[in-house]
Amino acid sequence: MPSPTTIRRPLSLLLAAGALSLMLALDAAVRVTALPPYVAVADSGAAAAAAKMLVAMAQPRQDDAASAVDGPTTTDSADNGTYTVVLPTPTPQGDIYYLGGLVMADGIRVYGIFYGNHSSHTMNTIARFVSGFSKSGWWSVLQSYNGSNGYIGSELSWAGTYHDSAYSLGTELSGDYTTNLTRTAISAQGWTPDNNRDIYAIFLASDITETNYGTNCVDYCGYHSGTMDYRHTAIITDATRCPGTLPAPGQSKGTPGCMPLLWRNQTDPAYSVNRDQHADSMITVLAHEISEIATDWDQAWADSQGLECADKCEEYFLDVQNANGTSPYNDAYNLDLGDNGKYL
């Protein structure tokens, strides 16, 4: 699984129209970026070998040791043939430290709130991922994080689904819409909120514009935040709205976007491991946000710049499996959750 570049901003107050509402403003926003500079080179073969990409889930440690990693590669086709994109070797950004606060030590429940046009396949794929996430080695790393309230537990569950297919708040969202949307979902589904355990993940359809911290797909792909009513909310943008492109041969950068690199430059929305770029791209950001909420629930783990654990990876992957074939990378994955599916 990748972890997109993120930024952290201070807490701030949001004065909502007609009522005071404290918003624990942008903890971490996944920025829309072309990522670090690429190098596009000629490829003598028809397709590159399976990509070797690093994921470096930052583990709690107090040293500055770093291991060397070869720069990964990916391929794409252009008018003048197939070429290879060589990504840079990741640069260590420094350790994260314990700040004295709380992690999510109780059984974590994720509620999915799908806003706009989402297929049942997309919603079910995301629910299946969350249901199996705690079985992964990634989650085992997260369980090494502790706070004043203990260690992160082994339980992570998909607690419910709500779909607002009627676009009840329109297609342009801003302000404290997350509270209104979450409150509606809780009431409609009969959920019982518990701020010590709950994460409300709001998935925005590809035709939704969100402008709380700039503009989604222009300034960020997703972020996690919260309000007085609902402490932790993750906002996830459908990357098919802004996939971005790989760099052309001889160019150093492609266009910025939110789609994982291995699935860029494709027009088929089924071109991803679960045959659903909507779901697969949002899972990328969701995994990032869950990891950060769990480890930094209340001023627990971050580095000297305020970056959280998933901020340390910046679009690098563990060894990618099944990356060759007639359609390179269509079936690529690096996280196998058994009955809960494969993901990149």
Side-chain angles (χ1 to χ4, degrees), residues 30-52:
V30 181
R31 293 182 295 185
V32 179
T33 175
L35 305 176
Y38 309 104
V39 179
V41 298
D43 183 10
S44 58
K52 300 289 187 180

Side-chain angles (χ1 to χ4, degrees), residues 116-153:
N117 183 21
H118 297 277
S119 71
S120 58
H121 184 271
T122 293
M123 294 188 288
N124 291 336
T125 300
I126 293 173
R128 184 180 62 174
F129 164 75
V130 172
S131 297
F133 192 20
S134 61
K135 303 174 185 176
S136 67
W138 181 324
W139 196 259
S140 296
V141 172
L142 293 181
Q143 287 185 267
S144 66
Y145 287 81
N146 68 305
S148 59
N149 56 334
Y151 284 85
I152 293 175

Side-chain angles (χ1 to χ4, degrees), residues 14-283:
L14 176 67
L15 183 61
L20 274 173
S21 176
L22 176 65
M23 175 167 280
L24 306 177
L26 196 61
D27 278 330
V30 181
R31 293 182 295 185
V32 179
T33 175
L35 305 176
Y38 309 104
V39 179
V41 298
D43 183 10
S44 58
K52 300 289 187 180
M53 294 191 173
L54 168 74
V55 59
M57 277 297 298
Q59 299 187 44
R61 56 190 177 91
Q62 299 298 320
D63 61 75
D64 294 321
S67 59
V69 179
D70 293 332
T73 64
T74 184
T75 61
D76 187 44
S77 298
D79 291 340
N80 58 348
T82 300
Y83 64 94
T84 298
V85 177
V86 182
L87 297 174
T89 299
T91 302
Q93 302 174 7
D95 292 335
I96 62 175
Y97 299 94
Y98 179 54
L99 305 177
L102 306 173
V103 297
M104 293 193 80
D106 297 324
I108 302 171
R109 307 185 303 191
V110 178
Y111 291 95
I113 301 173
F114 294 86
Y115 187 78
N117 183 21
H118 297 277
S119 71
S120 58
H121 184 271
T122 293
M123 294 188 288
N124 291 336
T125 300
I126 293 173
R128 184 180 62 174
F129 164 75
V130 172
S131 297
F133 192 20
S134 61
K135 303 174 185 176
S136 67
W138 181 324
W139 196 259
S140 296
V141 172
L142 293 181
Q143 287 185 267
S144 66
Y145 287 81
N146 68 305
S148 59
N149 56 334
Y151 284 85
I152 293 175
S154 61
E155 181 183 350
L156 174 73
S157 64
W158 182 264
T161 301
Y162 174 74
H163 187 195
D164 184 343
S165 60
Y167 294 81
S168 64
L169 301 178
T171 59
E172 298 184 1
L173 304 177
S174 63
D176 202 14
Y177 79 90
T178 59
T179 293
N180 295 330
L181 190 56
T182 303
R183 184 180 294 122
T184 298
I186 289 171
S187 176
Q189 302 299 91
W191 297 337
T192 303
D194 182 345
N195 276 335
N196 292 322
R197 301 179 60 191
D198 296 345
I199 297 173
Y200 298 97
I202 299 177
F203 301 93
L204 304 180
S206 60
D207 56 351
I208 300 298
T209 300
E210 206 259 24
T211 56
N212 268 348
Y213 303 102
T215 304
N216 66 324
C217 268
V218 177
D219 300 297
Y220 51 87
C221 307
Y223 62 90
H224 65 89
S225 185
T227 68
M228 287 289 286
D229 293 320
Y230 311 113
R231 186 172 180 85
H232 286 294
T233 304
I235 311 300
I236 314 295
T237 295
D238 184 339
T240 63
R241 175 182 176 89
C242 48
T245 62
L246 292 171
Q251 302 297 314
S252 63
K253 291 185 178 182
T255 58
C258 297
M259 187 69 67
L261 293 177
L262 296 183
W263 297 329
R264 290 190 181 185
N265 289 26
Q266 301 296 328
T267 59
D268 183 0
Y271 190 91
S272 64
V273 64
N274 288 293
R275 302 296 185 265
D276 187 338
Q277 286 195 343
H278 307 281
D280 284 321
S281 67
M282 289 191 287
I283 285 170

